[in-house]
């Protein structure tokens, strides 16, 4: 039997000039990780602690920020260990777990944004029915679906990958994402088709739904009073900014499997860091500064007068 099919550890080969900049990378990533945890946790605490923020819109925001912390926690500790290690390796089982968490939490991001767009649609387009539609039970169902559906679907892809034999042990990246399929002895048509199914189900369909709801919101807001237009702009604009930001970064990950060899190593390194660093830190900034009620509590928390 060929020994290459018995690979149990994977060498991570996506870092650029690690021997020269390892301590700089470590300090920057550790600082960003602390900022991500503190900034997201602060806003989640404000939402949890203030009764006037116990509304569906803010609950979805808190869920989105918790999702960002979980996403960062899956990736950052391993990156920090790699920066200080002489050899950057990961077991195949740990790599598969990171793959599972990476895509299930990424899918949850889109479904949570879809839930938020639905909440805004009901609030602005059907204000008289808002209390009967966005009940506590319905909000909880949307949250469970947003986290459970991607996890169940990605778990199937993870199990299929676990059964594949490896004929390579060098990962051209810094996290275990779709590029692990390039290590398989035989590229699986089933995995490719199922991956496309997941992409349509947890990314494309939620994006179409979000674009539809916001189009309806802006049409109705345009025809309504200035107060309705102000409310639509104030509550919907931050969600759209977050969606555009995350979608643009996610396009890279989709292209990575198809055109991975076409990207220079430094481009793959920078783009992956953008996805890991930029988005989890971007969310609390947008919601903390653009959402009026959150900003008010944030300001009172850090600018208390004696």
């Amino acid at each position: 039997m060929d020994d290459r099919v018995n690979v149990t550890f994977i060498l991570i080969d996506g870092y650029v000039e690690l021997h020269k900049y390892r301590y700089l990378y470590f300090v920057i990533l550790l600082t960003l990780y602390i900022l991500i945890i503190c900034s997201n946790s602060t806003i989640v605490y404000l939402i949890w602690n203030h009764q006037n923020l116990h509304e569906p819109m803010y609950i979805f925001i808190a869920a989105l920020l918790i999702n960002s912390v979980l996403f960062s926690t899956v990736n950052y500790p391993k990156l920090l260990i790699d920066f200080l290690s002489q050899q950057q390796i990961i077991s195949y089982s740990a790599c598969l777990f990171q793959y599972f968490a990476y895509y299930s939490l990424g899918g949850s991001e889109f479904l949570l944004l879809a839930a938020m767009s639905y909440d805004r649609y009901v609030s602005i387009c059907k204000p008289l029915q808002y209390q009967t539609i966005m009940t506590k039970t319905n909000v909880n169902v949307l949250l469970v679906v947003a986290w459970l559906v991607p996890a169940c679907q990605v778990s199937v892809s993870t199990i299929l990958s676990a059964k594949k034999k490896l004929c390579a042990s060098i990962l051209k990246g810094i996290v275990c994402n779709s590029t692990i399929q390039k290590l398989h002895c035989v590229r699986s048509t089933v995995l490719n088709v199922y991956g496309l199914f997941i992409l349509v189900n947890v990314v494309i369909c939620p994006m179409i739904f979000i674009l539809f709801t916001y189009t309806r919101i802006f049409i109705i807001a345009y025809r309504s009073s200035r107060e309705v237009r102000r409310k639509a702009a104030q509550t919907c604009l931050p969600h759209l900014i977050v969606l555009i930001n995350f979608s643009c970064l996610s396009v890279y990950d989709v292209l990575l499997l198809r055109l991975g060899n076409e990207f220079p190593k430094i481009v793959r390194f920078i783009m992956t860091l953008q996805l890991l660093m930029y988005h989890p830190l971007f969310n609390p900034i947008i919601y903390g500064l653009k959402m009026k009620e959150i900003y008010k509590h944030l300001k009172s928390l850090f600018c208390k007068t004696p």
Side-chain angles (χ1 to χ4, degrees), residues 140-156:
N140 289 335
V141 169
L142 289 173
L143 290 175
V144 170
V145 167
W147 270 310
L148 199 58
V149 168
C152 291
Q153 294 183 356
V154 176
S155 65
V156 175

Side-chain angles (χ1 to χ4, degrees), residues 19-247:
H19 63 284
K20 186 184 296 185
Y21 300 115
R22 66 172 68 247
Y23 297 112
L24 178 62
Y25 289 155
F26 180 83
V27 171
I28 292 174
L29 262 291
L30 179 61
T31 303
L32 287 172
Y33 185 40
I34 293 171
L35 284 174
I36 287 169
I37 292 176
C38 292
S39 58
N40 284 278
S41 299
T42 298
I43 295 180
V44 171
Y45 165 76
L46 291 175
I47 293 171
W48 173 76
N49 196 48
H50 292 88
Q51 192 66 35
N52 69 321
L53 298 182
H54 292 183
E55 298 177 8
M57 177 176 66
Y58 299 110
I59 292 171
F60 288 132
I61 289 174
L64 194 71
L65 299 183
I66 291 171
N67 199 70
S68 293
V69 172
L70 293 174
F71 182 81
S72 299
T73 301
V74 167
N75 297 292
Y76 272 73
K78 180 64 175 88
L79 291 174
L80 294 172
I81 291 171
D82 283 345
F83 291 148
L84 299 182
S85 301
Q86 292 302 314
Q87 193 175 25
Q88 292 72 47
I89 61 172
I90 186 172
S91 68
Y92 187 46
S93 57
C95 191
L96 286 173
F97 173 76
Q98 190 178 54
Y99 168 89
F100 165 76
Y102 183 90
Y103 285 111
S104 63
L105 292 171
S108 295
E109 190 92 8
F110 282 104
L111 291 180
L112 286 169
L113 287 169
M116 293 163 73
S117 72
Y118 178 67
D119 172 73
R120 292 299 83 206
Y121 169 76
V122 175
S123 175
I124 294 171
C125 302
K126 300 180 178 181
L128 299 180
Q129 302 175 42
Y130 184 79
Q131 296 298 330
T132 57
I133 294 176
M134 297 307 295
T135 62
K136 185 177 180 180
T137 299
N138 289 341
V139 170
N140 289 335
V141 169
L142 289 173
L143 290 175
V144 170
V145 167
W147 270 310
L148 199 58
V149 168
C152 291
Q153 294 183 356
V154 176
S155 65
V156 175
S157 178
T158 306
I159 292 169
L160 291 174
S161 293
K163 293 180 178 180
K164 302 292 289 184
K165 292 181 179 180
L166 302 184
C167 282
S169 60
I170 300 178
L171 184 72
K172 300 295 184 180
I174 62 174
V175 296
C176 294
N177 49 19
S178 59
T179 51
I180 66 172
Q181 294 184 30
K182 295 181 179 293
L183 306 182
H184 296 161
C185 296
V186 180
R187 294 292 294 275
S188 171
T189 302
V190 174
L191 264 176
N192 287 335
V193 172
Y194 188 72
L196 183 62
F197 166 76
I198 295 176
L199 178 68
V200 170
N201 208 23
V202 302
V203 177
I204 295 177
C205 286
M207 284 187 66
I208 293 173
F209 176 78
I210 291 168
L211 293 175
F212 169 77
T213 54
Y214 281 127
T215 300
R216 290 288 301 158
I217 287 171
F218 288 130
I219 289 174
I220 290 175
Y222 178 77
R223 296 172 178 173
S224 303
S225 64
R226 180 179 297 180
E227 179 62 24
V228 174
R229 290 197 295 270
R230 185 193 63 79
K231 179 183 178 182
Q234 186 182 75
T235 61
C236 295
L237 190 59
H239 304 327
L240 280 176
I241 293 173
V242 169
L243 173 67
I244 293 169
N245 169 63
F246 191 65
S247 300

